[in-house]
Amino acid sequence: MSHDSTAAPEAAARKLSGRRRKEIVAVLLFSGGPIFESSIPLSVFGIDRQDAGVPRYRLLVSAGEEGPLRTTGGLELTAPHGLEAISRAGTVVVPAWRSITSPPPEDALDALRRAHEEGARIVGLCTGAFVLAAAGLLDGRPATTHWMYAPTLAKRYPSVHVDPRELFVDDGDVLTSAGTAAGIDLCLHIVRSDHGNEAAGALARRLVVPPRRSGGQERYLDRSLPEEIGADPLAEVVAWALEHLHEQFDVETLAARAYMSRRTFDRRFRSLTGSAPLQWLITQRVLQAQRLLETSDYSVDEVAGRCGFRSPVALRGHFRRQLGSSPAAYRAAYRARRPQAERTSDPDGPPPTAVHQESAGPGPVPMQTRRTAAAGTLGPATSSASLRPDPGKDRPELYAAGRPSLPGQRSAP
């Protein structure tokens, strides 16, 4: 589940102090923050949509430092409130931070710590997770951020259990999201947690977005190395691994190339990339399989061999666990979504006919919130057919129907 009811039971039992109100949401803005991320909580919590069945929040836009606040495109913002407004909020949202390499203002960090101590729910969208981490609010907790910045977050704050695969993580009183549009997913989740599915569905229709977007960040990850790994001795080992994914090697092989014990290698690798080496290696092999399924006519068995999997069964298992789809179903959906002109004009591409999908095995795997960065037990799988609308049932949360979604996405229940 996206909202883990078992997570942080002590935090869940905490109550707001007398001066705070659950319906008040404070959004903490800083100079240099991107305008898109900053506008997400303003749009979700700051507009009265009671006519659409969405309960009203009271929004307090607060400046985290002296203004005017400059944002994307040279715009200047003047927040109507300062840090004092946070003292009344039941929820405090940090939509973004201007730089993952510079520390946030200490006054703002103190205000966030005080709000958390007094029972407020603290939310970090995208790079806002760096502000929460700097305040110590993510210590020992699971969290996420944009996949590109996840290794830096994990390295700078080693006590944070960073999971770059999730769109958002709800750990009770502290919540974080991945980049940009994932902030919408988390804000909708907050509305759903506060007021139920019907309210969140009504808001999603107003915003013209899915009420529950399926999948995690896996399909957006690329093979680029984290910026900070470039000067590290492990960079050469990581580069070698990326160039030899077609070969069958394991983590012990990488540790030997780095002249380290397995334990030392695991520890160093995690500190640099934010991921365990085995999980990273499997993810890279699956990503390579995705590319081959999209760009070649190799059979699934051939793709498995060219990505270093020991058997097609291993490829199918890891592919489904990470992307919620079989390789054949992923290829079929990918090609079905390509423009017809592109498919017919590509002499090297497949004929413009439906590709047979593998029917064996479960469908998309529900996205989960984890107490640690290690992969938890996956929830019950559902058939991909269950995602298609049933004309015989009411669909109050669907804002549109008729176009199939791309497999390879873990759906948030």
Side-chain angles (χ1 to χ4, degrees), residues 109-176:
L109 298 181
D110 287 340
L112 288 172
R113 295 185 191 108
R114 190 160 49 250
H116 182 254
E117 290 171 358
E118 294 178 356
R121 176 172 52 189
I122 312 298
V123 181
L125 307 182
C126 193
T127 52
F130 283 81
V131 180
L132 273 59
L137 301 182
L138 297 181
D139 290 351
R141 292 178 177 265
T144 193
T145 187
H146 193 294
W147 60 263
M148 188 167 61
Y149 305 128
T152 302
L153 182 64
K155 180 179 180 181
R156 185 158 299 147
Y157 303 100
S159 62
V160 180
H161 304 308
V162 180
D163 190 341
R165 295 169 293 177
E166 301 291 10
L167 288 177
F168 64 84
V169 171
D170 180 342
D171 196 44
D173 56 347
V174 178
L175 304 86
T176 52

Side-chain angles (χ1 to χ4, degrees), residues 25-340:
V25 177
V27 176
L28 189 58
L29 300 180
F30 297 96
S31 188
I35 190 67
F36 187 91
E37 283 85 347
S38 301
S39 68
I40 289 172
L42 306 185
S43 298
V44 171
F45 302 112
I47 298 177
D48 186 355
R49 297 187 176 91
Q50 294 182 88
D51 61 322
V54 181
R56 186 175 183 178
Y57 289 87
R58 183 183 174 193
L59 181 70
L60 301 178
V61 182
S62 308
E65 56 192 339
E66 291 295 324
L69 308 178
R70 293 175 175 81
T71 185
T72 309
L75 298 176
E76 288 191 352
L77 305 177
T78 302
H81 302 283
L83 289 173
E84 75 283 348
I86 294 179
S87 65
R88 291 177 278 161
T91 299
V92 181
V93 182
V94 183
W97 173 238
R98 60 174 168 263
S99 171
I100 63 174
T101 59
S102 61
E106 192 59 38
D107 288 348
L109 298 181
D110 287 340
L112 288 172
R113 295 185 191 108
R114 190 160 49 250
H116 182 254
E117 290 171 358
E118 294 178 356
R121 176 172 52 189
I122 312 298
V123 181
L125 307 182
C126 193
T127 52
F130 283 81
V131 180
L132 273 59
L137 301 182
L138 297 181
D139 290 351
R141 292 178 177 265
T144 193
T145 187
H146 193 294
W147 60 263
M148 188 167 61
Y149 305 128
T152 302
L153 182 64
K155 180 179 180 181
R156 185 158 299 147
Y157 303 100
S159 62
V160 180
H161 304 308
V162 180
D163 190 341
R165 295 169 293 177
E166 301 291 10
L167 288 177
F168 64 84
V169 171
D170 180 342
D171 196 44
D173 56 347
V174 178
L175 304 86
T176 52
S177 81
T180 314
I184 301 177
D185 297 307
L186 180 50
C187 288
L188 283 173
H189 169 74
I190 291 172
V191 174
R192 185 180 302 109
S193 300
D194 289 348
H195 302 292
N197 289 331
E198 186 173 348
L203 177 57
R205 288 193 293 274
R206 278 295 184 94
L207 298 175
V208 197
V209 296
R212 300 172 186 262
R213 189 156 60 105
S214 58
Q217 294 192 80
E218 293 102 331
R219 60 193 184 280
Y220 304 115
L221 299 172
D222 67 15
R223 289 176 52 173
S224 60
L225 302 179
E227 294 181 5
E228 298 184 6
I229 200 176
D232 192 274
L234 284 188
E236 182 178 347
V237 176
V238 172
W240 180 89
L242 292 174
E243 292 299 322
H244 293 79
L245 288 175
H246 59 283
E247 300 178 10
Q248 292 184 12
F249 60 86
D250 53 20
V251 177
E252 281 74 13
T253 301
L254 299 181
R257 292 188 67 87
Y259 301 101
M260 297 178 184
S261 68
R262 172 64 187 270
R263 172 179 286 186
T264 300
F265 181 79
D266 282 5
R267 184 175 64 252
R268 288 286 308 281
F269 192 95
R270 186 184 288 275
S271 70
L272 285 169
T273 69
S275 175
L278 179 58
Q279 182 59 51
W280 177 87
L281 182 58
I282 292 172
T283 297
Q284 297 305 318
R285 293 195 190 281
V286 170
L287 287 171
Q288 180 68 359
Q290 279 184 269
R291 297 185 186 95
L292 291 179
L293 291 167
E294 293 170 1
T295 61
S296 77
D297 288 325
Y298 294 130
S299 68
V300 173
D301 288 14
E302 290 174 315
V303 168
R306 290 174 179 270
C307 296
F309 289 103
R310 298 187 183 279
S311 70
V313 173
L315 166 61
R316 290 184 176 94
H318 289 301
F319 201 95
R320 188 178 293 281
R321 277 190 290 274
Q322 290 200 24
L323 299 175
S325 168
S326 70
Y330 178 88
R331 170 180 272 170
Y334 176 83
R335 291 181 174 178
R337 289 172 67 98
R338 292 173 62 191
Q340 180 67 23

